Amino acid sequence: WRGGGMYKDWYSQTRMERCLISGNVTIYDGGGISCHTDGHLTLSNCIFSGNLCTGVDSGRGGAIYCFLATATVNHCTFVGNSATHGANLACASPGEFGGSHVKLRNCILRSRGDSLWSNDGSTLNVAYSNVQGGWSGVGNTDADPIFVEEGLWDEKGTPLEPADDIWFDGDYRLAWNSPCVDKGREGTGRNVRR
């Protein structure tokens, strides 16, 4: 139901570097990762690709879902993720409890639907990132990142039934003429994994 690749809850501290979270499916929250209740998630140089939240009204956060949590995301690539709300990242909680705090830097977010979504007043601080559909913040853009090879979905002739789709991963290194090359900031250099 939640956290197709990983589910973390209650004060957990998780740091992940150079990970691939791909091809996971949930109905409710966090196709890739679901981060709950005072947990802290730190991601660096990770790829989230082809993760789904299939609930018609309830699918939140194709790649990452945050509920009263903190997430710091640096130099990560989000591509081909899908959800009803927030193809890449969603934050939601009952309003009286507060929200999540998410910081994204030097990331690429290219997926099906709205990249980022929140319904609870969460703080989504995004900078120096390429966000499909756009997002306000210092150094953000919305441009084709020009990957070496784009991943793709095979909808198997049933575009209204995402649960039977098959994801074929690509090569997410940046091509020499990518608008993302040398756009990273805060002493981090290039927006590309080594």
Side-chain angles (χ1 to χ4, degrees):
W1 299 97
R2 292 182 169 91
M6 180 175 73
Y7 179 85
K8 51 191 291 340
D9 203 356
W10 293 105
Y11 308 105
S12 60
Q13 304 288 317
T14 303
R15 176 185 287 295
M16 298 170 65
E17 296 181 15
R18 299 180 186 261
C19 294
L20 171 64
I21 295 93
S22 182
N24 299 289
V25 179
T26 62
I27 293 174
Y28 291 123
D29 306 318
I33 295 176
S34 187
C35 183
H36 273 248
T37 321
D38 295 319
H40 185 82
L41 177 65
T42 302
L43 302 168
S44 179
N45 293 296
C46 295
I47 296 174
F48 288 81
S49 63
N51 298 291
L52 297 175
C53 280
T54 62
V56 174
D57 295 320
S58 57
R60 299 177 292 192
I64 300 173
Y65 171 75
C66 289
F67 176 91
L68 303 174
T70 302
T72 304
V73 183
N74 294 303
H75 298 282
C76 291
T77 299
F78 297 80
V79 62
N81 302 295
S82 181
T84 306
H85 305 292
N88 295 305
L89 185 134
C91 296
S93 65
E96 64 271 16
F97 295 116
S100 296
H101 302 282
V102 179
K103 182 177 178 180
L104 287 100
R105 293 287 183 273
N106 304 306
C107 293
I108 298 173
L109 298 96
R110 312 301 286 181
S111 293
R112 304 191 297 186
D114 294 334
S115 286
L116 305 167
W117 178 84
S118 173
N119 76 343
D120 64 357
S122 290
T123 304
L124 299 175
N125 186 327
V126 182
Y128 304 107
S129 295
N130 185 343
V131 182
Q132 185 170 351
W135 193 266
S136 63
V138 176
N140 291 337
T141 188
D142 177 9
D144 181 351
I146 312 177
F147 295 121
V148 170
E149 181 182 359
E150 189 82 30
L152 61 97
W153 281 101
D154 177 357
E155 295 180 338
K156 303 185 67 120
T158 57
L160 299 178
E161 296 178 24
D164 73 349
D165 296 355
I166 297 174
W167 173 253
F168 294 95
D169 238 338
D171 180 343
Y172 305 114
R173 292 175 297 156
L174 299 176
W176 67 271
N177 57 339
S178 169
C180 299
V181 172
D182 292 329
K183 296 298 180 187
R185 291 293 188 269
E186 299 181 13
T188 56
R190 300 168 63 114
N191 189 4
V192 63
R193 272 172 304 290
R194 292 178 172 79

